Amino acid sequence: MESWLLRRAVFILFIALIPFSCAIHYPVVAGRVAGPLSWFGFFMFVLSLAFAFYVHSMFPRSHKRPGDFERLLTDGPYRYVRHPFYAAFIVMGFGVALWCLSIPGLIAYTLMLPLWEKVAKIEERELLNYWGDRYREFMEVRGRFFPRRISK
């Protein structure tokens, strides 16, 4: 399966979970923590959405396959991670759930983590086939979704 097909399905599921997260609030999160937690989630959502737009602006108009890119992206947020766009959506999902104070939303977005992992692994196989050793070296020094510490 090409990664863009699975990626599209995962994004559709992600979007579908937004109203689910905002509509279902059981058990109810209330009290003094509810307001700050909701605001924290809102800011997580807004910042990760802005970050996703920034990362997406680095992509060519058509970007279904590695060959659509003129070069391997290694600058900007790619200096730190291999999949900053997916990382933004992972954080965004938890931001939506916190913003809406939805424990079922937190569970749903947690259950989506293996899907993001699957998309990234399929995409990495395609990137390795296309970019070869250059991408393999890139993988050795960058975390998949979040920066990792490299010991020297």
Side-chain angles (χ1 to χ4, degrees), residues 19-42:
F20 169 82
S21 292
C22 294
I24 300 178
H25 303 275
Y26 181 83
V28 175
V29 178
R32 300 175 91 183
V33 74
L37 194 59
S38 182
W39 277 107
F40 179 71
F42 173 75

mmCIF file of all heavy atoms in Angstrom, residues 19-42:
data_model
loop_
_atom_site.group_PDB
_atom_site.id
_atom_site.type_symbol
_atom_site.label_atom_id
_atom_site.label_comp_id
_atom_site.label_asym_id
_atom_site.label_seq_id
_atom_site.Cartn_x
_atom_site.Cartn_y
_atom_site.Cartn_z
ATOM 1 N N PRO A 19 -15.270 16.208 16.169
ATOM 2 C CA PRO A 19 -16.605 16.368 16.758
ATOM 3 C C PRO A 19 -16.889 15.335 17.850
ATOM 4 O O PRO A 19 -17.553 15.643 18.837
ATOM 5 C CB PRO A 19 -17.569 16.212 15.587
ATOM 6 C CG PRO A 19 -16.769 15.901 14.398
ATOM 7 C CD PRO A 19 -15.325 15.983 14.730
ATOM 8 N N PHE A 20 -16.364 14.117 17.694
ATOM 9 C CA PHE A 20 -16.518 13.092 18.728
ATOM 10 C C PHE A 20 -15.919 13.591 20.041
ATOM 11 O O PHE A 20 -16.548 13.505 21.097
ATOM 12 C CB PHE A 20 -15.837 11.796 18.277
ATOM 13 C CG PHE A 20 -15.707 10.760 19.356
ATOM 14 C CD1 PHE A 20 -16.772 9.935 19.667
ATOM 15 C CD2 PHE A 20 -14.514 10.608 20.045
ATOM 16 C CE1 PHE A 20 -16.651 8.974 20.669
ATOM 17 C CE2 PHE A 20 -14.387 9.652 21.041
ATOM 18 C CZ PHE A 20 -15.461 8.836 21.349
ATOM 19 N N SER A 21 -14.705 14.127 19.974
ATOM 20 C CA SER A 21 -14.032 14.619 21.178
ATOM 21 C C SER A 21 -14.785 15.769 21.823
ATOM 22 O O SER A 21 -14.824 15.889 23.041
ATOM 23 C CB SER A 21 -12.612 15.081 20.850
ATOM 24 O OG SER A 21 -11.820 13.981 20.503
ATOM 25 N N CYS A 22 -15.353 16.613 20.998
ATOM 26 C CA CYS A 22 -16.037 17.790 21.532
ATOM 27 C C CYS A 22 -17.466 17.493 21.974
ATOM 28 O O CYS A 22 -18.042 18.247 22.755
ATOM 29 C CB CYS A 22 -16.011 18.916 20.501
ATOM 30 S SG CYS A 22 -14.332 19.511 20.214
ATOM 31 N N ALA A 23 -18.048 16.409 21.518
ATOM 32 C CA ALA A 23 -19.444 16.104 21.856
ATOM 33 C C ALA A 23 -19.571 15.169 23.053
ATOM 34 O O ALA A 23 -20.570 15.203 23.749
ATOM 35 C CB ALA A 23 -20.146 15.490 20.649
ATOM 36 N N ILE A 24 -18.559 14.344 23.296
ATOM 37 C CA ILE A 24 -18.673 13.346 24.350
ATOM 38 C C ILE A 24 -17.758 13.723 25.513
ATOM 39 O O ILE A 24 -16.547 13.775 25.360
ATOM 40 C CB ILE A 24 -18.336 11.943 23.807
ATOM 41 C CG1 ILE A 24 -19.312 11.608 22.688
ATOM 42 C CG2 ILE A 24 -18.369 10.920 24.922
ATOM 43 C CD1 ILE A 24 -19.086 10.297 22.038
ATOM 44 N N HIS A 25 -18.366 13.989 26.640
ATOM 45 C CA HIS A 25 -17.632 14.440 27.828
ATOM 46 C C HIS A 25 -17.912 13.520 29.012
ATOM 47 O O HIS A 25 -18.382 13.958 30.045
ATOM 48 C CB HIS A 25 -18.073 15.858 28.220
ATOM 49 C CG HIS A 25 -17.898 16.845 27.141
ATOM 50 N ND1 HIS A 25 -16.717 17.489 26.908
ATOM 51 C CD2 HIS A 25 -18.759 17.291 26.195
ATOM 52 C CE1 HIS A 25 -16.858 18.301 25.893
ATOM 53 N NE2 HIS A 25 -18.089 18.194 25.436
ATOM 54 N N TYR A 26 -17.679 12.248 28.860
ATOM 55 C CA TYR A 26 -17.915 11.357 29.976
ATOM 56 C C TYR A 26 -16.644 10.620 30.293
ATOM 57 O O TYR A 26 -15.995 10.112 29.370
ATOM 58 C CB TYR A 26 -19.019 10.348 29.654
ATOM 59 C CG TYR A 26 -19.286 9.435 30.819
ATOM 60 C CD1 TYR A 26 -20.116 9.841 31.844
ATOM 61 C CD2 TYR A 26 -18.658 8.206 30.906
ATOM 62 C CE1 TYR A 26 -20.333 9.019 32.930
ATOM 63 C CE2 TYR A 26 -18.871 7.390 31.982
ATOM 64 C CZ TYR A 26 -19.704 7.793 32.993
ATOM 65 O OH TYR A 26 -19.903 6.998 34.073
ATOM 66 N N PRO A 27 -16.186 10.527 31.504
ATOM 67 C CA PRO A 27 -16.725 11.234 32.660
ATOM 68 C C PRO A 27 -16.415 12.725 32.575
ATOM 69 O O PRO A 27 -15.450 13.130 31.948
ATOM 70 C CB PRO A 27 -16.022 10.578 33.849
ATOM 71 C CG PRO A 27 -14.770 10.003 33.294
ATOM 72 C CD PRO A 27 -15.044 9.665 31.846
ATOM 73 N N VAL A 28 -17.225 13.508 33.214
ATOM 74 C CA VAL A 28 -17.108 14.956 33.133
ATOM 75 C C VAL A 28 -15.889 15.434 33.917
ATOM 76 O O VAL A 28 -15.685 15.028 35.059
ATOM 77 C CB VAL A 28 -18.386 15.636 33.668
ATOM 78 C CG1 VAL A 28 -18.241 17.134 33.698
ATOM 79 C CG2 VAL A 28 -19.590 15.218 32.842
ATOM 80 N N VAL A 29 -15.081 16.260 33.282
ATOM 81 C CA VAL A 29 -13.957 16.904 33.956
ATOM 82 C C VAL A 29 -14.476 18.247 34.435
ATOM 83 O O VAL A 29 -14.937 19.063 33.638
ATOM 84 C CB VAL A 29 -12.757 17.096 32.999
ATOM 85 C CG1 VAL A 29 -11.635 17.813 33.710
ATOM 86 C CG2 VAL A 29 -12.297 15.758 32.443
ATOM 87 N N ALA A 30 -14.443 18.457 35.728
ATOM 88 C CA ALA A 30 -14.997 19.693 36.283
ATOM 89 C C ALA A 30 -14.091 20.199 37.396
ATOM 90 O O ALA A 30 -13.052 19.618 37.694
ATOM 91 C CB ALA A 30 -16.404 19.428 36.813
ATOM 92 N N GLY A 31 -14.515 21.291 37.990
ATOM 93 C CA GLY A 31 -13.776 21.856 39.109
ATOM 94 C C GLY A 31 -12.742 22.860 38.663
ATOM 95 O O GLY A 31 -12.765 23.364 37.537
ATOM 96 N N ARG A 32 -11.825 23.117 39.549
ATOM 97 C CA ARG A 32 -10.820 24.162 39.329
ATOM 98 C C ARG A 32 -9.865 23.842 38.183
ATOM 99 O O ARG A 32 -9.310 24.734 37.567
ATOM 100 C CB ARG A 32 -10.019 24.370 40.600
ATOM 101 C CG ARG A 32 -10.875 24.795 41.768
ATOM 102 C CD ARG A 32 -10.080 24.875 43.006
ATOM 103 N NE ARG A 32 -9.565 26.221 43.126
ATOM 104 C CZ ARG A 32 -8.766 26.621 44.076
ATOM 105 N NH1 ARG A 32 -8.358 25.763 44.993
ATOM 106 N NH2 ARG A 32 -8.349 27.861 44.129
ATOM 107 N N VAL A 33 -9.684 22.564 37.909
ATOM 108 C CA VAL A 33 -8.741 22.160 36.868
ATOM 109 C C VAL A 33 -9.333 22.284 35.462
ATOM 110 O O VAL A 33 -8.595 22.397 34.484
ATOM 111 C CB VAL A 33 -8.223 20.719 37.140
ATOM 112 C CG1 VAL A 33 -9.286 19.702 36.822
ATOM 113 C CG2 VAL A 33 -6.970 20.445 36.366
ATOM 114 N N ALA A 34 -10.647 22.288 35.336
ATOM 115 C CA ALA A 34 -11.301 22.248 34.022
ATOM 116 C C ALA A 34 -10.928 23.449 33.153
ATOM 117 O O ALA A 34 -10.565 23.282 31.983
ATOM 118 C CB ALA A 34 -12.816 22.149 34.179
ATOM 119 N N GLY A 35 -11.023 24.649 33.697
ATOM 120 C CA GLY A 35 -10.729 25.848 32.905
ATOM 121 C C GLY A 35 -9.298 25.884 32.395
ATOM 122 O O GLY A 35 -9.057 26.002 31.190
ATOM 123 N N PRO A 36 -8.300 25.791 33.300
ATOM 124 C CA PRO A 36 -6.909 25.803 32.839
ATOM 125 C C PRO A 36 -6.577 24.657 31.879
ATOM 126 O O PRO A 36 -5.841 24.842 30.915
ATOM 127 C CB PRO A 36 -6.099 25.683 34.132
ATOM 128 C CG PRO A 36 -7.005 26.216 35.195
ATOM 129 C CD PRO A 36 -8.391 25.835 34.759
ATOM 130 N N LEU A 37 -7.136 23.474 32.144
ATOM 131 C CA LEU A 37 -6.886 22.328 31.267
ATOM 132 C C LEU A 37 -7.449 22.573 29.871
ATOM 133 O O LEU A 37 -6.794 22.284 28.858
ATOM 134 C CB LEU A 37 -7.496 21.069 31.876
ATOM 135 C CG LEU A 37 -7.071 19.730 31.303
ATOM 136 C CD1 LEU A 37 -5.564 19.539 31.420
ATOM 137 C CD2 LEU A 37 -7.793 18.610 32.021
ATOM 138 N N SER A 38 -8.637 23.134 29.817
ATOM 139 C CA SER A 38 -9.259 23.446 28.531
ATOM 140 C C SER A 38 -8.447 24.499 27.778
ATOM 141 O O SER A 38 -8.215 24.375 26.574
ATOM 142 C CB SER A 38 -10.697 23.929 28.744
ATOM 143 O OG SER A 38 -11.304 24.194 27.504
ATOM 144 N N TRP A 39 -8.003 25.536 28.464
ATOM 145 C CA TRP A 39 -7.180 26.563 27.815
ATOM 146 C C TRP A 39 -5.848 25.986 27.336
ATOM 147 O O TRP A 39 -5.373 26.312 26.244
ATOM 148 C CB TRP A 39 -6.940 27.742 28.746
ATOM 149 C CG TRP A 39 -8.085 28.708 28.743
ATOM 150 C CD1 TRP A 39 -9.015 28.901 29.717
ATOM 151 C CD2 TRP A 39 -8.423 29.603 27.673
ATOM 152 N NE1 TRP A 39 -9.923 29.854 29.326
ATOM 153 C CE2 TRP A 39 -9.585 30.303 28.078
ATOM 154 C CE3 TRP A 39 -7.891 29.870 26.422
ATOM 155 C CZ2 TRP A 39 -10.196 31.258 27.274
ATOM 156 C CZ3 TRP A 39 -8.491 30.816 25.628
ATOM 157 C CH2 TRP A 39 -9.631 31.492 26.047
ATOM 158 N N PHE A 40 -5.255 25.127 28.144
ATOM 159 C CA PHE A 40 -4.008 24.478 27.742
ATOM 160 C C PHE A 40 -4.228 23.673 26.460
ATOM 161 O O PHE A 40 -3.421 23.742 25.519
ATOM 162 C CB PHE A 40 -3.481 23.581 28.869
ATOM 163 C CG PHE A 40 -2.219 22.860 28.525
ATOM 164 C CD1 PHE A 40 -1.021 23.542 28.405
ATOM 165 C CD2 PHE A 40 -2.228 21.484 28.316
ATOM 166 C CE1 PHE A 40 0.152 22.870 28.075
ATOM 167 C CE2 PHE A 40 -1.069 20.807 27.986
ATOM 168 C CZ PHE A 40 0.127 21.503 27.867
ATOM 169 N N GLY A 41 -5.320 22.917 26.415
ATOM 170 C CA GLY A 41 -5.651 22.150 25.212
ATOM 171 C C GLY A 41 -5.875 23.044 24.010
ATOM 172 O O GLY A 41 -5.435 22.739 22.900
ATOM 173 N N PHE A 42 -6.553 24.168 24.226
ATOM 174 C CA PHE A 42 -6.795 25.118 23.138
ATOM 175 C C PHE A 42 -5.472 25.625 22.562
ATOM 176 O O PHE A 42 -5.286 25.654 21.345
ATOM 177 C CB PHE A 42 -7.645 26.297 23.638
ATOM 178 C CG PHE A 42 -7.797 27.398 22.638
ATOM 179 C CD1 PHE A 42 -8.643 27.257 21.553
ATOM 180 C CD2 PHE A 42 -7.072 28.575 22.758
ATOM 181 C CE1 PHE A 42 -8.781 28.265 20.611
ATOM 182 C CE2 PHE A 42 -7.205 29.597 21.822
ATOM 183 C CZ PHE A 42 -8.053 29.439 20.751
#
